[in-house]
Amino acid sequence: MTAAPRLRPASDPVEGESELRTVATGPRIVAAPRIGARALLEGLVAQGVTTIFGYPGGATLPIYDVLREFPIHHVLTRHEQGAAHAADGWSRATGGVGVAMATSGPGAINLVTGLATAMMDSVPMVAITGNVARPFLGRDAFQETDIVGIAMPITKYAAIVMDPDEVPLAIAEAFAIATTGRPGPVLLDFPKDVLQAETSAPLPRPSDLRLPGLLRPVRGDVPEADELVELIASSERPLILAGHGVQIAGASDLLRAVAERAGIPVAHTLLGIGTLDETHPNSVGYAGMHGWMHANKALQHCDLLIGIGGRFDDRITGKTSTFAPHARIVHVDVDRSEIGKNVRTDLGIVADAGDLLTALLRRIPADDPPPARAAWWAQIAEWRQVSEARPWHGSGAWRDGRLSADFVVEQIGEATGHVATLVSDVGQNQMWAARYYGFRRPYAHLSSGGLGTMGYAVPAAMGAALAVPDRETWAITGDGGFQMTMQELGTIVQEQIPVRIAVLNNHKLGMIRQWQEIIYDENYHSSELFGPDLVRLGEAYGLAAFRATKPEEVAPAIAAARAQPGPALIDFHLDEAQNVYPMMLPGKGLSDMVEQARDEDVS
């Protein structure tokens, strides 16, 4: 997030003295005391915050009352969940810290889904909530909830600030906790009277932070790289599995350099998409439950698997006892607790991904050609040729001229040069976006990976678009996920956020319907989805809206949406029976992938 200059009065208060602020209020000039709300906003400005996503309420009105005095743009979302996802999107698009704000009670609770989404995906975020005044805490006052107790399991840290003099320090510590080591969301709760009380506490210096329990990873050279280089040298079929942590560390270029120098193919997790340009010769592509067949084959046949910045979660591994059966597994993660948690680990390295990759570059000779491993590369090329020729890829028309999702996503990729920020929702649309856009850069693919939050795409896309306004931003969503947060169209239009929304509309809860077809013997229940006319809905909000129902209508609709100076929506009517293939069934492994209409062995 771009840092903004911290604005102070002409004469800063001396420590220990109460500050009086001169504030213009129409025709009157009044002396305004430095209250907790002002100290909070000063702290945010000092951290470089320029935008807050929020929804006001009685407990946070002291903040809103003084917000105009500070160089912070407040984006009024239509729901607090939208504020949390928008802050998340801001963070992922920039590598900075997004900020969401909500009032007490239901407002604070509405942040919970967004906080859990950020926590599962290691996204730094700070949530500010108001609460009832201190004398009313614990008395079941109007709109009182223990949001700290609720948020503790789904945040990196949550606390209530009970002393006005603690406000500046609490803000500084929240940002330090959110960004140090493995990132994550932090929630700070402020009783209303704390926000209204005067304080003379100064902004803290870095040495003032009290963080004795904060895990700070050791930075610098990684001695375990010596052993890893030896493993790479002795390997005939090595593979790197790049996770989200590589992008969090800003280490995508380092990963590419290591892969090129060592001659190692690179697959990636869902959140690792974009770490390596998918057209790069070393890129194998997206692996896992709905990943490319050739990427999954590479995982199952490699003799050395180097996982960097990922959790080896079940959507990558499937049945862990059958995962990478021929490989020595190396796991590199900044979080010690992840090493060996999900899969057997032959070498665990607790390190920042960038530090580890830098250490490898120091040890791998730059003047030597990479190992040929001709048989391994030839095998991967053969698998890729078969995989990409499958009937479920690039069909254009699914059947009888009806529209296919893969064709729509490919066309968006072609139109945007594969470099737009693509924010996908959850479900079939998420897998189609991951497989068919063709990502060329990091920080380009934003999605809820760990929690799988439907409704994520639209609010997260508006956060990403505001964070990086010079980059084209698309939200890819299904009609189910879209209807969960479609009220944010009001925010998008009011703020004129240039988000293009592509609704892959199959009038179904598509992934539910697919599971019911394949796993539950076509027992379709509660997966038929009624929705509004999306073009008329967009127009009702004052949004340019278009529809495509045939392959020949796709490119013109995309062009029309991109020609809009502000936001736009496209309603793509898909064949309702199209499924996402391949698919790893629950309880199965990567060697048991299912294809359309039949099982097909990956071994």
Side-chain angles (χ1 to χ4, degrees), residues 3-150:
R6 177 170 159 253
L7 299 188
R8 299 284 294 174
S11 56
D12 286 350
V14 178
E15 184 174 347
E17 293 183 358
S18 177
E19 174 187 344
L20 292 180
R21 211 177 255 271
T22 300
V23 180
T25 58
R28 298 188 303 119
I29 302 293
V30 299
R34 184 172 182 265
I35 58 174
R38 287 192 173 93
L40 186 158
L41 292 166
E42 284 179 9
L44 293 179
V45 171
Q47 294 296 327
V49 174
T50 58
T51 302
I52 295 175
F53 301 92
Y55 201 99
T60 53
L61 280 181
I63 300 174
Y64 285 89
D65 191 46
V66 299
L67 187 52
R68 292 184 190 275
E69 301 169 21
F70 296 85
I72 294 177
H73 175 208
H74 179 269
V75 177
L76 176 62
T77 60
R78 296 309 184 262
H79 192 282
E80 292 88 354
Q81 181 180 345
H85 291 326
D88 175 304
W90 179 292
S91 298
R92 297 197 205 210
T94 63
V97 181
V99 178
M101 188 160 63
T103 193
S104 61
I109 292 173
N110 282 342
L111 294 175
V112 164
T113 300
L115 290 171
T117 299
M119 184 66 177
M120 290 286 282
D121 291 347
S122 302
V123 177
M125 191 174 92
V126 171
I128 304 295
T129 56
N131 213 326
V132 299
R134 285 171 291 181
F136 296 101
L137 289 171
R139 296 176 179 270
D140 294 330
F142 176 68
Q143 290 192 335
E144 180 198 356
T145 56
D146 179 11
I147 188 59
V148 171
I150 293 170

Side-chain angles (χ1 to χ4, degrees), residues 78-356:
R78 296 309 184 262
H79 192 282
E80 292 88 354
Q81 181 180 345
H85 291 326
D88 175 304
W90 179 292
S91 298
R92 297 197 205 210
T94 63
V97 181
V99 178
M101 188 160 63
T103 193
S104 61
I109 292 173
N110 282 342
L111 294 175
V112 164
T113 300
L115 290 171
T117 299
M119 184 66 177
M120 290 286 282
D121 291 347
S122 302
V123 177
M125 191 174 92
V126 171
I128 304 295
T129 56
N131 213 326
V132 299
R134 285 171 291 181
F136 296 101
L137 289 171
R139 296 176 179 270
D140 294 330
F142 176 68
Q143 290 192 335
E144 180 198 356
T145 56
D146 179 11
I147 188 59
V148 171
I150 293 170
M152 284 182 71
I154 53 168
T155 57
K156 194 174 178 184
Y157 178 74
I160 185 168
V161 182
M162 296 289 285
D163 185 345
D165 289 337
E166 293 286 313
V167 171
L169 186 59
I171 293 293
E173 289 178 343
F175 278 78
I177 294 169
T179 56
T180 300
R182 181 176 181 171
V186 172
L187 180 138
L188 292 180
D189 191 37
F190 295 89
K192 185 174 183 178
D193 61 327
V194 170
L195 298 172
Q196 294 170 318
E198 292 189 30
T199 177
S200 58
L203 290 173
R205 298 160 298 187
S207 59
D208 295 329
L209 304 190
R210 311 154 302 177
L211 303 170
L214 184 61
L215 294 177
R216 301 177 185 271
V218 176
R219 300 301 305 270
D221 192 41
V222 182
E224 294 91 339
D226 291 328
E227 184 176 352
L228 180 50
V229 168
E230 292 179 3
L231 290 174
I232 292 172
S234 62
S235 170
E236 295 181 359
R237 302 185 306 279
L239 181 70
I240 292 173
L241 179 63
H244 190 204
V246 178
Q247 295 187 42
I248 292 173
S252 298
D253 289 342
L254 289 169
L255 177 73
R256 175 182 49 77
V258 167
E260 291 173 347
R261 189 176 297 182
I264 304 177
V266 179
H268 53 246
T269 67
L270 177 67
L271 294 184
I273 288 174
T275 301
L276 185 63
D277 184 333
E278 291 187 332
T279 64
H280 191 281
N282 288 71
S283 175
V284 176
Y286 167 47
M289 183 177 183
H290 289 287
W292 289 103
M293 295 285 283
H294 57 275
N296 288 335
K297 282 177 175 282
L299 280 171
Q300 293 302 84
H301 289 269
C302 66
D303 62 4
L304 175 65
L305 177 58
I306 307 169
I308 306 177
R311 294 185 288 115
F312 286 115
D313 80 310
D314 57 289
R315 294 304 168 105
I316 276 287
T317 66
K319 188 177 180 180
T320 55
S321 62
T322 65
F323 176 70
H326 311 292
R328 288 172 291 183
I329 298 179
V330 179
H331 191 178
V332 182
D333 202 284
V334 74
D335 186 349
R336 184 180 299 274
S337 69
E338 292 294 345
I339 306 295
K341 185 176 80 174
N342 293 324
V343 299
R344 59 179 177 81
T345 302
D346 298 287
L347 174 60
I349 302 176
V350 181
D352 177 87
D355 291 346
L356 181 277

Side-chain angles (χ1 to χ4, degrees), residues 269-594:
T269 67
L270 177 67
L271 294 184
I273 288 174
T275 301
L276 185 63
D277 184 333
E278 291 187 332
T279 64
H280 191 281
N282 288 71
S283 175
V284 176
Y286 167 47
M289 183 177 183
H290 289 287
W292 289 103
M293 295 285 283
H294 57 275
N296 288 335
K297 282 177 175 282
L299 280 171
Q300 293 302 84
H301 289 269
C302 66
D303 62 4
L304 175 65
L305 177 58
I306 307 169
I308 306 177
R311 294 185 288 115
F312 286 115
D313 80 310
D314 57 289
R315 294 304 168 105
I316 276 287
T317 66
K319 188 177 180 180
T320 55
S321 62
T322 65
F323 176 70
H326 311 292
R328 288 172 291 183
I329 298 179
V330 179
H331 191 178
V332 182
D333 202 284
V334 74
D335 186 349
R336 184 180 299 274
S337 69
E338 292 294 345
I339 306 295
K341 185 176 80 174
N342 293 324
V343 299
R344 59 179 177 81
T345 302
D346 298 287
L347 174 60
I349 302 176
V350 181
D352 177 87
D355 291 346
L356 181 277
L357 292 165
T358 299
L360 289 178
L361 283 176
R362 291 195 189 105
R363 290 162 170 82
I364 301 172
D367 52 354
D368 291 347
R373 299 191 179 100
W376 180 228
W377 284 105
Q379 179 65 83
I380 291 174
E382 180 182 330
W383 288 332
R384 182 192 291 270
Q385 185 176 18
V386 174
S387 177
E388 293 185 347
R390 289 291 194 252
W392 32 258
H393 172 58
S395 57
W398 176 242
R399 60 165 77 93
D400 300 328
R402 284 175 279 177
L403 194 56
S404 71
D406 50 311
F407 178 72
V408 169
V409 175
E410 285 179 330
Q411 289 294 298
I412 293 173
E414 290 293 324
T416 60
H418 308 279
V419 295
T421 298
L422 201 73
V423 187
S424 66
D425 213 89
V426 168
Q428 289 179 317
N429 68 89
Q430 182 182 36
M431 299 300 107
W432 283 319
R435 290 173 58 85
Y436 298 116
Y437 180 77
F439 293 89
R440 301 286 190 267
R441 62 172 182 84
Y443 310 110
H445 174 253
L446 281 58
S447 193
S448 172
L451 194 64
T453 305
M454 289 181 67
Y456 173 82
V458 170
M462 72 187 188
L466 282 172
V468 191
D470 58 344
R471 189 173 293 157
E472 188 172 353
T473 302
W474 282 74
I476 305 291
T477 182
D479 48 316
F482 176 72
Q483 291 185 76
M484 287 191 170
T485 53
M486 65 184 181
Q487 67 272 9
E488 298 306 333
L489 291 180
T491 308
I492 289 171
V493 172
Q494 181 174 349
E495 295 281 339
Q496 279 300 292
I497 305 171
V499 173
R500 277 78 183 184
I501 302 169
V503 182
L504 305 184
N505 190 350
N506 55 15
H507 305 94
K508 299 284 191 298
L509 295 176
M511 192 62 82
I512 298 299
R513 191 209 63 81
Q514 177 169 337
W515 279 48
Q516 289 173 336
E517 174 186 328
I518 298 171
I519 302 171
Y520 293 96
D521 197 27
E522 301 184 6
N523 182 17
Y524 301 115
H525 192 293
S526 301
S527 54
E528 189 85 16
L529 192 65
F530 172 79
D533 182 319
L534 297 185
V535 171
R536 293 174 68 185
L537 176 70
E539 291 172 346
Y541 272 102
L543 187 76
F546 310 92
R547 179 177 290 118
T549 62
K550 303 174 183 177
E552 60 268 24
E553 296 172 346
V554 170
I558 293 171
R562 297 185 73 223
Q564 299 299 314
L569 180 149
I570 311 175
D571 180 17
F572 293 104
H573 281 215
L574 304 182
D575 188 297
E576 297 180 6
Q578 185 179 7
N579 288 333
V580 179
Y581 289 105
M583 176 184 181
M584 179 172 62
L585 296 177
K588 299 292 185 179
L590 293 180
S591 293
D592 303 301
M593 301 293 286
V594 172

